[in-house]
Amino acid sequence: MKFLTTTLLLLTLTATAQPTTRERLPIGKSANSTVEILWDTAGVPHIYGQTLESMYYGFGYAQMQNHANLLLRLYGQARGRAAEYWGPEYLDSDKIVTLFGVPQQAQQQYTQQDQEYRPYLDGFVSGLNAYAKAHPEAIGAEFKQVLPITPQDVLAHISRVICLEFTGGAEAGAARVMPPGSNAYAIAPAKSASRNAMLMANPHLPWEGFFLFFEAHLNGPGLVAYGASLVGQPVLNIAFNQNLGWTHTVNTIDAADRYALTLQDDGYVLDGVKQAFEKKNVTLQVRQSDGQLKPQQLTYQYSQHGPVMESKDGKAYAFRFAGLTNPAMAAQHHSMAKAKNLAEFEAALQRLQLPMFNVIYADGAGNVLYVFNGNVPVRSEGDWRYWQGAIDGSLAKHIWTQTHPYKDLPRVLNPPSGFVQNANDAPWSCTYPAVLDPNAFPKYMSPVGMPLRLRPQRSINLIKDDASISFEELMDYKLNTGLEAADRFLDDLLAAVEQYPDSLTRQAASVLRTWDKTTNRDSKGAVLFTAWFDRFNPGMAAVGWDATRSVSTPDGLKDPKKAVELLGAVAAQVRQRYGRLDIAWGEVNRFGPAGNDYPANGGSEHYGIYRTIQFVPDPKQPQLNRAVAGDTYVAITEFGKKLRAQVSLSYGNASQPGHKHNGDGWKLMSEKKLREALLDKSTILQQLEKKETLRYSTNP
């Protein structure tokens, strides 16, 4: 899917509700304020600022403490100077960033920040630099050249990640496509055992680079919020406060287009008329192995559609991304975290500074909300499929100039079902039974009629018939490692073996009959079944996906004999590779690096597993698979009189080499456990690992 990849992305946030004057230092004055950071035993910073500026200062300081090398690398890439710092392997990244003018746009975006929000951004950046100045020994020597960080670096990083990577990565030919994965539930009081609304946040992303999350607890005047941010972001991207909470999932939005240009001489054709490219000369410095810098001269071309890139086959494509110049992405997330009720929260959303991402929301008043959020271009024609792939760039009518306002987007508030969900499916299945009519929206808004994948079906099936979901049950649903594919096909496969038996398939069937149909670490049969299902294709189902039975199809086996033959073939492979058919899932699949690893659970969404984990073969131990993506931050929150939350962060809250909390989450992952989110200061002090008190000086 083109909305999920890793070479281009864009992020911009905005603020709506204006903080009162007592919540920030008056502009034009200097002052000192104190910030206290209480680090708990899970490596989570609980930051208490006398002002919001000092609170964000502490947030920057804490983020740098846990992720210094990574942050400096990311900010260096956002400048478009990574090849200058670290060599030619970063040249492609620099070309993309400079082609789209991200560093220059950041200069303009800084001047466009809301008057209230800009001091908070400045505070965050001051905190980054303060830690680097206080602890130079903790930072890798090759990263220090990026210092000091500027607010423009942070804004450029936001745009690079959200716009060039998430929104437009696939369009611009990213090096790899992320497998879809994020889960979310919002449970209304009518479906809650406690009669309190509940929220389950669970983004899935690769466990590296700018995809990593940083967990934190922010406390300042008028803003107290707990959540997680993608590293380098100056705000919480997913969070809850005393009154409400939200999460994001990647949505089926098309906010980026790739246009195939018709070239003529040294220009391109638009509506039958030759047009000249706008050209820009750029010099990038590339550090050589001997440390010398070698300049590389580049000429970028721009059509009326946007920046132009040439493919390996010599064709020219232009790119157009919605939201690329949005200045207030961070400010919008700040306002979302500060909101006290649904009206204030939606006022923040209506800024539409985030160019993509579903929003799933719940609050203490009992509201649950789903919004297909983002900058959807107003298009001249066509449905969602029409705008996939390369678009005819010779027609000016294909160059969109506007995006839809908030009122045009799919939105569901408090449906009769008592829940909203998303597992990267289209908005039409955000609850069950469905309440949105796709015909009420432009045909290009989101795909219509596409089969609902097994993981979204699993998401709905886990909760749709549970009329009274407790907090503990919601945790169990989140951690569920069962396979929707096994529920659909295992009984038919076992019956088929009885029809067409042989010695090996009987042995395989014996293992599968006693299997619990999960991918728990001790599950015996999961390795065998998934090997069989890896060879399964939609045409092998007796009943294909049916929109009228959207969460119970496909089902059955079209050719039972062929299915048994396939089982025999994979059983022989499993036995040859592992020495037996009943090897446990956790013996083969591991959390963490060799020497510090644990038996894993969960698996690919291909099997319809809700606890989504992506594994790849270990290059040094090819019989083992290591988890590299999937579950990241998890937060299950109940909005009762006393807020209740259980959380986890798969890989731990630090990436800095040698840091105590770098990789300390694997054991909890293996045990399928969450931990209490520490929200009260007294509780935090009982699990205190370290306390820091900082002074923040505001000088305009």
Side-chain angles (χ1 to χ4, degrees):
M1 297 182 201
K2 72 180 182 181
F3 51 89
L4 277 177
T5 17
T6 317
T7 295
L8 296 171
L9 156 64
L10 132 44
L11 174 73
T12 24
L13 311 161
T14 6
T16 45
Q18 295 295 315
T20 62
T21 55
R22 72 175 180 274
E23 292 172 354
R24 53 176 305 277
L25 297 172
I27 292 175
K29 295 185 179 181
S30 302
N32 293 320
S33 57
T34 300
V35 57
E36 182 180 68
I37 306 178
L38 303 179
W39 292 91
D40 70 25
T41 52
V44 177
H46 304 262
I47 301 163
Y48 295 83
Q50 289 183 325
T51 64
L52 291 183
E53 288 95 330
S54 63
M55 180 193 76
Y56 278 117
Y57 174 86
F59 186 44
Y61 192 96
Q63 233 185 102
M64 185 67 101
Q65 189 163 165
N66 285 24
H67 294 285
N69 291 358
L70 175 58
L71 288 177
L72 293 174
R73 177 166 63 83
L74 294 175
Y75 293 143
Q77 288 182 276
R79 285 180 187 168
R81 296 175 61 188
E84 174 185 339
Y85 298 140
W86 305 297
E89 63 267 31
Y90 290 91
L91 184 57
D92 286 344
S93 168
D94 287 352
K95 287 180 179 179
I96 293 292
V97 168
T98 54
L99 173 67
F100 283 85
V102 170
Q104 293 75 28
Q105 285 172 192
Q107 299 292 329
Q108 177 69 19
Q109 288 171 339
Y110 183 67
T111 68
Q112 296 172 317
Q113 295 302 300
D114 293 346
Q115 187 182 38
E116 290 293 340
Y117 177 71
R118 184 155 61 176
Y120 310 151
L121 174 61
D122 291 341
F124 176 81
V125 173
S126 294
L128 295 172
N129 290 320
Y131 179 81
K133 184 176 180 180
H135 298 280
E137 77 289 347
I139 298 173
E142 69 272 32
F143 299 106
K144 294 180 181 179
Q145 59 192 317
V146 181
L147 294 165
I149 301 302
T150 68
Q152 291 86 345
D153 292 330
V154 175
L155 293 173
H157 169 70
I158 292 171
S159 288
R160 174 183 174 246
V161 170
I162 303 304
C163 299
L164 297 188
E165 292 288 350
F166 278 97
T167 304
E171 287 300 350
R176 63 190 171 103
V177 178
M178 294 186 296
S182 283
N183 296 325
Y185 286 135
I187 308 298
K191 200 174 176 68
S192 166
S194 65
R195 296 298 180 254
N196 298 319
M198 296 184 291
L199 178 70
M200 191 280 289
N202 178 214
H204 300 160
L205 287 171
W207 295 346
E208 63 179 358
F210 58 76
F211 295 114
L212 293 182
F213 279 98
F214 179 66
E215 186 178 338
H217 183 201
L218 303 182
N219 299 265
L223 192 158
V224 176
Y226 192 110
S229 60
L230 292 170
V231 290
Q233 306 289 329
V235 287
L236 297 175
N237 302 125
I238 292 172
F240 59 86
N241 61 34
Q242 185 63 42
N243 303 297
L244 57 85
W246 80 91
T247 186
H248 292 305
T249 60
V250 170
N251 50 351
T252 53
I253 193 172
D254 186 348
D257 284 315
R258 176 168 57 101
Y259 297 89
L261 300 182
T262 301
L263 301 179
Q264 183 175 327
D265 301 325
D266 60 347
Y268 64 100
V269 176
L270 193 64
D271 287 345
V273 179
K274 177 185 172 183
Q275 307 289 331
F277 288 112
E278 179 185 340
K279 297 188 178 183
K280 180 172 74 172
N281 295 321
V282 172
T283 301
L284 297 179
Q285 300 291 339
V286 182
R287 189 167 299 279
Q288 305 301 300
S289 58
D290 61 1
Q292 298 298 309
L293 293 178
K294 181 179 179 180
Q296 180 160 351
Q297 309 290 338
L298 300 168
T299 298
Y300 294 150
Q301 295 189 128
Y302 301 85
S303 69
Q304 293 185 33
H305 316 74
V308 176
M309 298 173 65
E310 287 191 4
S311 65
K312 292 181 180 179
D313 59 6
K315 295 182 179 179
Y317 296 94
F319 298 86
R320 193 169 190 82
F321 297 165
L324 187 57
T325 59
N326 291 359
M329 285 189 269
Q332 179 176 316
H333 267 141
H334 165 79
S335 293
M336 291 161 65
K338 189 183 166 195
K340 295 178 176 60
N341 53 49
L342 176 62
E344 291 183 8
F345 185 82
E346 284 209 87
L349 286 187
Q350 287 166 13
R351 298 287 294 273
L352 285 179
Q353 289 294 291
L354 285 170
M356 66 177 294
F357 302 123
N358 293 305
V359 177
I360 297 88
Y361 162 101
D363 65 28
N367 297 300
V368 297
L369 172 71
Y370 165 86
V371 179
F372 183 81
N373 164 79
N375 300 145
V376 180
V378 177
R379 306 185 189 277
S380 60
E381 60 182 302
D383 60 10
W384 195 83
R385 290 181 184 274
Y386 179 87
W387 289 91
Q388 306 307 294
I391 306 301
D392 183 358
S394 68
L395 301 175
K397 66 179 182 178
H398 287 159
I399 305 176
W400 42 264
T401 58
Q402 295 179 309
T403 57
H404 283 274
Y406 186 78
K407 66 180 180 62
D408 289 355
L409 303 177
R411 172 184 176 275
V412 171
L413 176 67
N414 299 329
S417 64
F419 76 94
V420 293
Q421 71 82 39
N422 187 262
N424 307 114
D425 40 318
W428 329 124
S429 49
C430 69
T431 193
Y432 187 89
V435 296
L436 288 174
D437 179 5
N439 295 319
F441 300 89
K443 294 183 182 302
Y444 54 72
M445 181 68 69
S446 192
V448 176
M450 291 180 64
L452 192 63
R453 303 186 319 278
L454 288 179
R455 178 169 57 90
Q457 291 192 43
R458 186 76 173 179
S459 176
I460 293 169
N461 285 332
L462 283 172
I463 67 167
K464 67 180 177 63
D465 297 323
D466 190 339
S468 181
I469 301 173
S470 69
F471 184 85
E472 291 72 21
E473 284 176 316
L474 188 57
M475 284 198 296
D476 288 342
Y477 291 141
K478 161 61 216 100
L479 298 171
N480 186 282
T481 67
L483 293 78
E484 194 74 12
D487 290 347
R488 300 294 170 80
F489 301 107
L490 180 58
D491 57 345
D492 300 286
L493 178 60
L494 294 175
V497 171
E498 293 301 312
Q499 286 183 276
Y500 308 101
D502 64 31
S503 175
L504 183 57
T505 55
R506 281 189 182 279
Q507 292 177 48
S510 177
V511 171
L512 293 175
R513 279 195 186 90
T514 59
W515 172 46
D516 60 4
K517 293 197 291 188
T518 76
T519 48
N520 289 331
R521 63 187 185 182
D522 56 354
S523 294
K524 296 181 178 181
V527 172
L528 181 59
F529 180 84
T530 56
W532 177 80
F533 196 71
D534 284 342
R535 306 271 291 275
F536 191 89
N537 64 67
M540 295 170 66
V543 179
W545 185 76
D546 181 348
T548 65
R549 300 165 55 195
S550 62
V551 296
S552 59
T553 53
D555 193 14
L557 299 174
K558 180 183 294 184
D559 186 341
K561 184 178 181 181
K562 182 178 179 180
V564 174
E565 291 172 349
L566 187 60
L567 177 62
V570 299
Q573 293 173 351
V574 169
R575 188 168 61 182
Q576 180 180 8
R577 186 171 191 185
Y578 302 112
R580 63 188 195 275
L581 297 178
D582 63 346
I583 188 167
W585 184 257
E587 288 187 61
V588 174
N589 300 288
R590 310 294 290 179
F591 287 139
N596 185 33
D597 58 348
Y598 296 86
N601 53 72
S604 171
E605 81 139 25
H606 170 64
Y607 312 122
I609 300 174
Y610 198 62
R611 184 175 174 89
T612 301
I613 303 291
Q614 297 295 327
F615 296 97
V616 299
D618 185 321
K620 295 182 179 179
Q621 297 174 281
Q623 287 188 321
L624 298 182
N625 300 318
R626 300 212 175 267
V628 296
D631 265 19
T632 54
Y633 174 67
V634 175
I636 299 173
T637 310
E638 182 177 356
F639 297 96
K641 290 183 178 180
K642 181 175 175 59
L643 194 67
R644 181 184 184 188
Q646 291 276 322
V647 295
S648 72
L649 187 59
S650 300
Y651 32 69
N653 209 27
S655 65
Q656 197 66 358
H659 195 290
K660 178 179 180 179
H661 296 290
N662 183 343
D664 69 338
W666 304 129
K667 188 172 185 291
L668 276 182
M669 284 280 285
S670 180
E671 295 171 350
K672 289 178 63 177
K673 291 181 180 178
L674 305 180
R675 53 184 161 78
E676 180 187 0
L678 306 182
L679 305 176
D680 300 323
K681 206 166 192 178
S682 59
T683 308
I684 296 164
L685 291 172
Q686 291 172 13
Q687 299 187 42
L688 186 67
E689 185 171 275
K690 181 174 66 173
K691 175 181 176 180
E692 295 178 284
T693 302
L694 312 172
R695 298 288 294 175
Y696 175 51
S697 176
T698 305
N699 293 300

